[in-house]
Amino acid sequence: MSEISGGELIARMLQKEGVEKVFGIIDGTYFGFYSALHRLGIEIVTPRHETSAAHMAGAYARLTGRLGVCMASNGPGVANLLPGLVVEQAEGNRVLAITSGRRIGIAGPDRPGAYQSFDQTGVIARMAKSSIAVPGFERIGEIVRKALRRSWEGRPGVVHVDVPESIMNGKFKDPGVPLQEPHRYRRTDPVVASPDQVSRAAQVLVHASAPAIHAGSGVIHAGAYAALQRVAESLHAPVTTSWAARGVLPESSPLAIPMIHIKLNHTVRNEADAMLIVGSRVGETDWWGKPPYWRNAGEQKTIQVDADGDALGMNRPVDLAIVGDARSFLEQLADELERRQGEMRLDERRARVARYAKAMREDREGWDKALSDFSVPMNPAHVAHVCREVFPDDTVLVADGGNATIWTMFHWQVRQPNTLLSTFKFGMLGAGVAQALGAAAALPGRPVCCIIGDGAMGFHPQEIETAVRNRLPVVYLVLCDKQWGMVKMNQQFMLRPLKTMIMKSLGPDETIKTDLGEIEFDRMAQAMGAHGERVADPRLLRPALERAIASGKCAVIHVDVDPVKHMWAPGLIHFKKMHEEPKGR
């Protein structure tokens, strides 16, 4: 009978799951795992930091709908992985983390004085959907299957399997039993709503005067874009989204109400007498679904559909709660609505949508005034605007940083679903550097652009070398204002509100540690083998961007932006109010 390591058995199971890429830094504590991946033809993409491996896996999962896998070695490797796992769990991305632990006899429970050892499963269990340690070789199959089963249940998130190095690398008798196909141990078909539930939902929406739809990232995980569009068009209903689901209905659609039109979103949700919520928990960035930002639940018929039953009615009472896959439900609903098209009164709905379009045009005219400002250093509005003009519609845009993200959101129209990445649920600075790499690894040949602040870029600039080494042609535009801009703005209002309103900015001696020194990101990029340029004049941005793309490799454009204008990003007052608990119930 032949021998096999515990790591190779896990690698073979991942191959059965269709895994093609694993992200992580190699280490001797799991040589049995990554050497098997290499033999099996599963690509190992190695960043410079374990946190980046988690973000790469998360972006890969979100963009492909497949399982993202990352790995880390015991002790410091797992410690470095933790921030990334926290973020990917919060964002709801389907990530499997495989880690090594110290040998049996030291790991679980920890042996005092042990080297590079801590309670890895205990810590990760507090933040993930599942975290299990493998106690022996004979339990590997059972435990990995359990983790994968949990991964594909309900809302996506992080699952973790921890394997002692003596099992990961040790040699054991290979039982020679064929590995199970995924459908033998986990659900592979979507959860489908009953015909009665679909009929009841249709009845409410058909006879409503002002139906609306609120879509969350569950629509992304289900790939339900076409079905969502069919339902919206059949109902002639406006579609609002969670921050993370922006663009699930292309924003070129007259029915799309992008989340940047904040006051209009409140209007839509208050005017609707029937609301279909699909794949959203209706959390804090959705104002908890409470008045005055949403209509009182007693005055609005609410249908909520989610793959995770725990999300139903969690933050807002509902009239019809449906556990189901977003795509299958919306397809069923679209069929039913198309059969009942003649029952709907559409004139009033069309008039309402036309009124919303006028409000959005007026918002856009106000925001675009910044584009007539050609002073140097540039108004940050130009960055996303020029990128939107230069990059094709299928480009994956990654937005990272405080005010850099806000400026990007207001000047980038999402024209294809699932082409916008950020950390919308966690707001983690620096994650975008690796998200962009994960996007490029997930979608070879597709353009990937990352707009990021200089503070955020300072968290993980070493990954520029990762992009060069792995031939991932990401274009980074680093908005440099040499300050923690969002923090500085808040601090100024706390310290000297009147002077802040009049002068727009306080001096370095009037704030507390909010200013930064300069990093020449273009020269840093060149030192790592990437294309690097620096630009401060908005008239020179487009040619610099075109040269960066033409280089065919990772490129970094250091963009000097006006620090005061950058600080006064649009919509900040709404961001502040969002953190206040709404008064309604």
Side-chain angles (χ1 to χ4, degrees):
M1 185 177 289
S2 61
E3 292 185 323
I4 185 174
S5 69
E8 178 158 356
L9 178 56
I10 296 172
R12 290 182 186 179
M13 294 182 73
L14 295 183
Q15 186 182 47
K16 279 286 186 184
E17 277 281 346
V19 171
E20 296 178 350
K21 297 180 191 290
V22 172
F23 303 92
I25 297 175
I26 59 172
D27 181 83
T29 60
Y30 48 43
F31 177 81
F33 177 56
Y34 76 75
S35 61
L37 295 174
H38 184 70
R39 286 194 304 276
L40 294 171
I42 297 174
E43 183 181 0
I44 306 167
V45 184
T46 58
R48 303 282 296 229
H49 195 284
E50 286 88 354
T51 289
S52 297
H55 295 319
M56 292 167 80
Y60 178 92
R62 196 173 195 89
L63 293 172
T64 63
R66 307 174 75 174
L67 179 69
V69 183
C70 60
M71 62 184 184
S73 60
N74 59 255
V78 177
N80 282 341
L81 188 68
L82 295 178
L85 297 185
V86 171
V87 172
E88 298 312 319
Q89 173 66 17
E91 299 303 320
N93 291 325
R94 184 171 284 110
V95 171
L96 166 64
I98 301 290
T99 63
S100 60
R102 288 304 314 278
R103 60 179 169 79
I104 292 177
I106 290 181
D110 290 335
R111 184 174 173 185
Y115 178 66
Q116 293 189 332
S117 181
F118 72 99
D119 185 6
Q120 296 176 179
T121 53
V123 171
I124 296 176
R126 299 297 296 271
M127 64 180 73
K129 293 182 71 174
S130 170
S131 180
I132 311 174
V134 173
F137 173 81
E138 68 283 355
R139 299 283 305 279
I140 288 176
E142 166 212 336
I143 287 172
V144 173
R145 286 192 294 271
K146 182 176 182 179
L148 291 168
R149 189 161 50 247
R150 188 77 180 92
S151 176
W152 289 92
E153 291 175 353
R155 184 177 188 268
V158 171
V159 295
H160 168 232
V161 176
D162 190 63
V163 188
E165 58 183 314
S166 50
I167 297 175
M168 188 77 86
N169 295 333
K171 295 295 184 179
F172 305 88
K173 290 183 178 180
D174 185 350
V177 177
L179 296 177
Q180 295 180 27
E181 298 292 336
H183 74 273
R184 302 293 298 274
Y185 57 83
R186 67 171 177 83
R187 175 185 288 277
T188 55
D189 296 321
V191 177
V192 178
S194 72
D196 178 64
Q197 289 174 317
V198 175
S199 177
R200 289 164 62 194
Q203 180 73 8
V204 170
L205 296 167
V206 164
H207 293 288
S209 297
I213 301 169
H214 181 67
S217 54
V219 174
I220 294 175
H221 296 300
Y225 320 117
L228 174 66
Q229 185 165 347
R230 283 179 63 200
V231 169
E233 290 177 352
S234 291
L235 292 169
H236 206 76
V239 178
T240 67
T241 72
S242 67
W243 290 9
R246 185 177 172 188
V248 289
L249 181 68
E251 292 178 351
S252 53
S253 167
L255 297 173
I257 312 292
M259 41 71 74
I260 53 173
H261 299 275
I262 300 168
K263 289 184 178 179
L264 180 59
N265 271 259
H266 300 336
T267 298
V268 171
R269 294 165 184 164
N270 270 283
E271 291 187 347
D273 61 345
M275 180 69 76
L276 171 62
I277 300 172
V278 185
S280 171
R281 295 174 296 179
V282 196
E284 186 172 10
T285 56
D286 298 318
W287 310 84
W288 300 113
K290 293 182 177 182
Y293 308 105
W294 291 61
R295 192 167 181 168
N296 188 290
E299 301 171 356
Q300 185 182 77
K301 292 289 186 181
T302 303
I303 303 156
Q304 187 176 6
V305 183
D306 206 284
D308 182 4
D310 286 344
L312 300 176
M314 178 193 301
N315 293 317
R316 178 178 173 81
V318 299
D319 297 282
L320 179 57
I322 301 172
V323 176
D325 171 76
R327 180 175 176 177
S328 63
F329 172 80
L330 290 170
E331 287 174 343
Q332 292 172 278
L333 181 61
D335 290 342
E336 181 70 13
L337 292 173
E338 287 163 6
R339 283 193 293 270
R340 302 179 62 170
Q341 197 68 31
E343 300 177 40
M344 286 183 266
R345 299 166 295 173
L346 297 180
D347 288 347
E348 185 179 341
R349 299 181 187 184
R350 291 191 181 102
R352 193 171 81 260
V353 169
R355 177 161 48 86
Y356 297 158
K358 180 176 181 293
M360 287 190 285
R361 286 194 300 271
E362 291 171 353
D363 283 346
R364 176 52 55 200
E365 288 169 3
W367 298 328
D368 284 354
K369 288 177 182 177
L371 300 175
S372 61
D373 176 6
F374 287 94
S375 57
V376 178
M378 75 178 70
N379 188 307
H382 288 285
V383 180
H385 175 75
V386 171
C387 286
R388 181 66 285 179
E389 289 186 332
V390 171
F391 282 102
D393 290 351
D394 66 348
T395 298
V396 176
L397 176 76
V398 182
D400 190 357
N403 287 338
T405 295
I406 293 176
W407 281 107
T408 301
M409 292 298 106
F410 277 85
H411 290 278
W412 177 277
Q413 185 185 59
V414 184
R415 298 171 184 164
Q416 286 194 15
N418 201 17
T419 56
L420 178 64
L421 295 177
S422 189
T423 57
F424 290 108
K425 298 293 192 300
F426 208 77
M428 174 68 101
L429 294 184
V433 181
Q435 286 182 313
L437 301 181
L443 304 171
R446 287 267 294 275
V448 178
C449 168
C450 177
I451 300 177
I452 185 170
D454 54 348
M457 190 67 179
F459 279 60
H460 294 289
Q462 73 281 356
E463 302 302 352
I464 296 169
E465 188 278 330
T466 298
V468 172
R469 174 166 35 88
N470 288 282
R471 295 182 175 84
L472 302 173
V474 174
V475 177
Y476 294 97
L477 293 100
V478 187
L479 278 60
C480 298
D481 63 349
K482 295 184 288 187
Q483 61 188 7
W484 295 113
M486 188 176 283
V487 174
K488 189 172 188 177
M489 172 64 93
N490 182 65
Q491 192 181 107
Q492 288 184 162
F493 275 106
M494 296 292 288
L495 294 170
R496 298 191 177 184
L498 183 60
K499 185 175 182 180
T500 297
M501 287 299 298
I502 296 170
M503 303 301 295
K504 301 299 184 184
S505 180
L506 303 181
D509 58 333
E510 297 177 286
T511 56
I512 306 168
K513 303 294 183 179
T514 56
D515 293 290
L516 300 171
E518 179 172 89
I519 297 174
E520 296 178 87
F521 288 103
D522 55 324
R523 296 182 66 186
M524 176 184 289
Q526 292 166 6
M528 297 186 200
H531 177 88
E533 293 202 34
R534 184 168 185 167
V535 61
D537 188 332
R539 297 174 181 85
L540 303 180
L541 179 58
R542 183 179 184 123
L545 184 56
E546 290 171 341
R547 286 190 296 271
I549 295 169
S551 73
K553 59 182 181 179
C554 177
V556 177
I557 302 177
H558 177 121
V559 184
D560 290 301
V561 297
D562 185 294
V564 177
K565 293 170 184 173
H566 189 56
M567 210 166 32
W568 287 82
L572 284 179
I573 185 64
H574 301 290
F575 187 75
K576 182 175 178 61
K577 287 185 73 65
M578 185 199 75
H579 292 295
E580 300 171 0
E581 187 71 25
K583 300 296 189 293
R585 302 182 64 180

